[in-house]
Structure formats: C-alpha cells, structure tokens
Amino acid sequence: MVFTSPDYFPFLTRKFHQATYWDECNSYATFCKTSQAILDFSIPYGLSVSTGRSVSNSLSSQLVFSMIPRRASSIGYLASSRPLFALPLTARTAATATTVTPVAVANATDALTAAANIPVLGEQKDGGVSGLASKLNSEPQAEMVLAGFSPSPLAPLSRSDTLVHAAANGGSSDFAFVRGQQVQDEQASSNLLHGIRSGVWKCNWDIGNPDYRETGHDMSAQSSSHAGDYLLLAQMYPSLSSMTGSYTLRRSETSELAISGISVAGAHPDLQLVIQHAINRRRWSSEAMFGTSGGVFGLRGQYNFGDVRALDEAAFAYYRGSDQDAKRVVRDKTHGRFSVGSEVYYGAQDASGGISVGARYRYDLPLFSELTCVLNPIMGHLSLAWTQQLRPSLCTAARYDFNVFSLNSELAAGVEWQLDRNSMVKARWSGSQGLRFLADTRVGNMVFSVSLAFNSEGLGSVNSPTSSTGMRQLVQSFGLQLQWFV
C-alpha cells in the first residue's frame, strides 16, 4: 500500500448522487453497507497528507502526499454537471462555503421552532405528509452561502430547550430530547466529518422528498431534469506509473451508466475496464456489469417488500415533522423494511462463476436496527450481521461468518461513537484481523485521523509487553492522516 486513499472524491460522489436523488443504498452492492461501515472500515497507514479544493462550481482537484512508509504522490480532478461545494467569489478566500437553499438555512438556524409549526401527520390540512414534502421542496431555490466546513450553527440541545420543545408539541421531555438530537443530526447533514465517516445508521434521515420518485412508470417533467447529469473523475499516480478514472452518466431518472478503468504503463502495460448499467426504482433495483479482466459478466438485483412509499413518508414525517408526527409514526409501526437480493457472475477466462442470495430486515425508527443474512451456496459461506443503534450517537454491530464445507468460523464486533459534532471514534475486533481503532476530529477546514491496529497473532505471543520485540508483535500498524479542504 503506497498511501491511504483520501475521502474527498468519494464524498463528492455521494454529494452528486444526493443532488440528483440517486439512492446509493437501494442496491445489492450495498446490501450490507451498514454493518460494513462499522466492521470493515479502512484505516490510514503511515503518514499521509491530502488537500481537496473546489476550483469552481463544477470542478474540484485533489492532491495526496505520503511520506511513510514510502514517498508517493497523486493528483486528481473531478468534474460534474452539478455544482458541488460551489464557492462564490466573496467566500473563496475563506474556503468554507457551500451552496444550500433557504430552507436549509432556516432549518439550521431554528430547527425546534420549525418542527413546532409543521402540521400533524394524518391531518388533511396542506395535504398531510405529502403536502409537507411538497411545501419544503417548492420553496425558491436561490443559492445562499452557508459555512459547510465550519462548526455547525446548531448549538447542542439542552434539557431546557427540550422542555420548551416538548411543551410546544405536547410531548414528553425524554422523547423530545432523544428525537431532538436526531433532528440536529439531520440538520448537520452537510457536516464534512459525518459525511465521510458515519455509517448508514447515521445517515438514515437522508431520504429526500418522498414525492420525488415514482414506481413503475416514467418520471415527471421535474424529475426528468436529472437525465444527462454526469460525473467525470481522473486520478494519476506518478510513482506507480498508473492512472484511474471513472465516468458516470444519468441516462434517465431511474437509470445510470458507469464506466471505470485503470491504466498501467511501464514494462508490462495493462488496461482494465468495468462497465455497469444500473436501474434504481423505489420498489426494486438491478445492475448489469462487465469487466475486461477475466471477461467477467454479472447481474445483481434487489426487491423491497411492503408499502415503500408509506415507509418513506413515515421517515420523512419523523425527521421533518413535529413530536406528534414522530410519535404517531412510532405507534403505527410503519417503519420496518424487508428486502431480498441476489447476484450471479461468470468469468469467461477461467470458466467459473458464483452466486449469492441475501435477505435484510431494517427497523428504522426510533432507533436504527438491521439484520442481514447472505449466503453463497457454491462456496458454502454464510454471513449473519446485526447492527443496533443504542443511542442517537452510538451504534454497534456484530457479524458471524461460517463455512459449511471447511467448518471455519469467525466473529467480528465493532462500535461507532460520535463524541460530538467534530469528533468520532470507531473500533472493531475480529479473530483474523485483530483490534483496530480509528479516531477522527475536525478543526476548521481540516480533518485529522489517527489509527492503531493490533495483531491478533501477536497478542498471544508477547512475553514482555515492555520489550521492543513484543511491541512489534503486538502493534501491527500506526497511521496518521491529515485532510485539508480549501
């Protein structure tokens, strides 16, 4: 490994999908994304520094430097049809601005007051939940400047604030306090640290407008405006004499074409491409892909049971409505999601293939809970994962892997804890990879990441913890990463 990959371009890619209302989680490729974010998170190795900069509304650049374990560098550019972190001329020197709507500004400055004025779910006034969604998304979309990398304008919710909010909404203080923290997380969606580190359980509020997407037929004239949106990315690695790139094109509101590749120069030049076409609807999604390396062809699909639209409206009312709305959603229990998916692939070069099937049940509200089961019948591999949110800022996950042919098994457990809006800690343990820690903190425009990995084999072979040999056996790696956004 030359250096740790920075988070800037992946963060912008997610922002692009959010701006074009593309649900990344509605895919079998991300079927176990929630547990993987806690159990399989990547950690920095050695010492690396990266900087990401929005050159213009539609162009961003990224530089990466690594000093340890070896010297290396990388430069990349990203272009998109949508403004990502647009910096007006008056804010370029501050380098802390991002484009948001007046609705977001109003929500960020006074979330509790806004929640008290929203109609109760089920009332016919203003169209109920659907009317609420239409109202929030029909506001003038004039661009305004809001500090995106600076600390969130929302102050931490206090018990006194909770009592006022509970009295205005006729609810209990405990319920209002817990939900108030969740609403604050929803308003801090532009927080850089949350965007690059938090798992799906923390981003469960990112539901957009439930009236936006339809099922089984063409989109409206408003939603068809995303057809033709593109995202172009290129990254060069001079020390490796290689280059990677990707091109994403929205062919329609529900279909997307993605082409990615890697080119290696030198004594053994090589070029590999992966072409993927995806269809993403509220009820189901499908993907077809082809890779030139080995001539691999694959198909993926996912189907969501139940009244998906009602579930989206319930989540929308919980996070954007009043306490009465939220309590009614919890009482009606319209927040359980069951999905099944499958993947098949075949490699022409080695004449071999594979298949996997999975089932997932996700319980959204009031605290996130998810159970997944994935089976690979050819390899005889079974994976069971459970993710549970214990508090609004704390989530745990556990996974058990078992092979019916070799009878090998492994248990992994992890935790993600948001200390405050600018600090986050992750830890995970498994029998094969040992213990890993990751701590992130944001200071102004910078994100510092520190990691520590312990060798599971060295834990039982260390005779003297104070000896240098014992420490080398115990500590597998140490990493420090600095990411600067200007």
Side-chain angles (χ1 to χ4, degrees):
M1 179 175 292
V2 180
F3 52 73
T4 304
S5 299
D7 299 292
Y8 186 57
F9 280 175
F11 180 55
L12 291 185
T13 302
R14 288 192 293 272
K15 282 293 183 181
F16 172 78
H17 284 147
Q18 291 175 1
T20 57
Y21 289 87
W22 183 267
D23 189 359
E24 292 181 332
C25 297
N26 189 32
S27 170
Y28 189 70
T30 58
F31 203 70
C32 302
K33 183 178 180 179
T34 307
S35 58
Q36 290 174 347
I38 301 178
L39 300 176
D40 301 322
F41 60 87
S42 60
I43 60 175
Y45 292 91
L47 176 61
S48 62
V49 178
S50 67
T51 176
R53 183 175 186 268
S54 295
V55 181
S56 65
N57 285 356
S58 57
L59 181 64
S60 300
S61 63
Q62 175 179 269
L63 292 174
V64 186
F65 300 95
S66 176
M67 285 69 76
I68 301 173
R70 54 179 295 189
R71 294 181 180 178
S73 62
S74 173
I75 182 173
Y77 288 92
L78 182 147
S80 66
S81 59
R82 293 276 170 171
L84 303 176
F85 292 156
L87 294 177
L89 293 176
T90 56
R92 286 187 186 276
T93 55
T96 59
T98 184
T99 301
V100 297
T101 63
V103 176
V105 177
N107 289 340
T109 55
D110 199 354
L112 298 181
T113 303
N117 296 327
I118 294 177
V120 177
L121 176 63
E123 292 183 357
Q124 297 301 319
K125 183 179 179 180
D126 295 334
V129 178
S130 300
L132 168 62
S134 302
K135 180 180 179 181
L136 289 179
N137 289 275
S138 63
E139 297 289 341
Q141 297 300 307
E143 292 186 355
M144 298 183 65
V145 179
L146 176 69
F149 296 134
S150 60
S152 173
L154 284 175
L157 189 67
S158 64
R159 285 287 179 181
S160 59
D161 296 331
T162 300
L163 294 176
V164 175
H165 182 47
N169 291 275
S172 63
S173 59
D174 291 338
F175 180 86
F177 181 75
V178 173
R179 182 174 169 270
Q181 291 179 311
Q182 294 173 319
V183 171
Q184 285 185 344
D185 291 334
E186 185 267 336
Q187 303 302 340
S189 59
S190 61
N191 186 300
L192 177 66
L193 181 58
H194 297 176
I196 65 177
R197 285 290 183 257
S198 291
V200 178
W201 70 276
K202 201 64 177 177
C203 302
N204 187 41
W205 37 260
D206 185 20
I207 56 178
N209 183 355
D211 286 336
Y212 190 82
R213 291 188 302 162
E214 298 295 338
T215 304
H217 54 274
D218 294 336
M219 300 298 105
S220 62
Q222 177 185 4
S223 59
S224 62
S225 62
H226 294 308
D229 282 330
Y230 66 88
L231 184 71
L232 181 63
L233 190 153
Q235 190 86 21
M236 295 181 292
Y237 304 88
S239 58
L240 299 178
S241 301
S242 63
M243 178 177 179
T244 62
S246 64
Y247 175 70
T248 303
L249 174 66
R250 289 293 294 274
R251 299 183 63 251
S252 68
E253 185 58 30
T254 60
S255 63
E256 182 179 88
L257 176 66
I259 303 175
S260 59
I262 178 172
S263 176
V264 180
H268 304 282
D270 188 20
L271 175 62
Q272 299 179 9
L273 295 175
V274 176
I275 304 174
Q276 177 178 300
H277 183 267
I279 298 177
N280 194 324
R281 295 182 180 272
R282 188 193 298 270
R283 173 70 64 179
W284 58 272
S285 66
S286 65
E287 298 170 72
M289 71 201 89
F290 174 76
T292 59
S293 178
V296 178
F297 176 78
L299 295 173
R300 282 195 293 248
Q302 177 178 316
Y303 186 83
N304 305 313
F305 291 89
D307 191 346
V308 184
R309 182 181 180 83
L311 294 171
D312 291 342
E313 290 181 348
F316 191 88
Y318 183 87
Y319 288 103
R320 305 292 176 88
S322 63
D323 281 349
Q324 289 91 337
D325 296 337
K327 287 185 176 181
R328 184 172 290 118
V329 169
V330 175
R331 183 177 65 251
D332 295 343
K333 298 182 178 180
T334 56
H335 41 272
R337 303 171 184 262
F338 180 71
S339 305
V340 296
S342 180
E343 177 186 35
V344 294
Y345 60 90
Y346 177 79
Q349 182 174 342
D350 53 5
S352 63
I355 183 175
S356 71
V357 293
R360 180 184 67 194
Y361 180 76
R362 176 180 295 174
Y363 193 83
D364 293 331
L365 307 171
L367 294 177
F368 185 89
S369 180
E370 182 180 277
L371 179 64
T372 59
C373 176
V374 177
L375 173 65
N376 188 324
I378 297 179
M379 303 298 295
H381 181 258
L382 176 65
S383 179
L384 298 173
W386 181 34
T387 306
Q388 179 63 55
Q389 183 182 8
L390 303 180
R391 299 179 61 184
S393 60
L394 180 64
C395 188
T396 60
R399 183 177 60 211
Y400 179 73
D401 294 290
F402 179 74
N403 190 284
V404 297
F405 298 144
S406 63
L407 300 182
N408 292 330
S409 63
E410 183 182 53
L411 179 64
V415 61
E416 179 177 314
W417 185 18
Q418 177 189 322
L419 301 179
D420 52 42
R421 282 184 174 77
N422 298 317
S423 300
M424 187 178 299
V425 176
K426 287 188 177 184
R428 61 98 63 184
W429 173 88
S430 69
S432 61
Q433 299 185 10
L435 188 62
R436 291 185 178 184
F437 289 100
L438 176 64
D440 300 283
T441 184
R442 188 193 67 188
V443 179
N445 297 358
M446 295 177 289
V447 175
F448 294 90
S449 302
V450 179
S451 68
L452 189 62
F454 295 93
N455 194 340
S456 60
E457 297 180 357
L459 292 175
S461 60
V462 177
N463 296 323
S464 176
T466 58
S467 65
S468 59
T469 303
M471 289 302 299
R472 284 197 297 267
Q473 291 177 339
L474 179 64
V475 179
Q476 185 181 28
S477 67
F478 174 80
L480 177 62
Q481 182 184 31
L482 169 61
Q483 300 185 74
W484 187 24
F485 301 86
V486 296

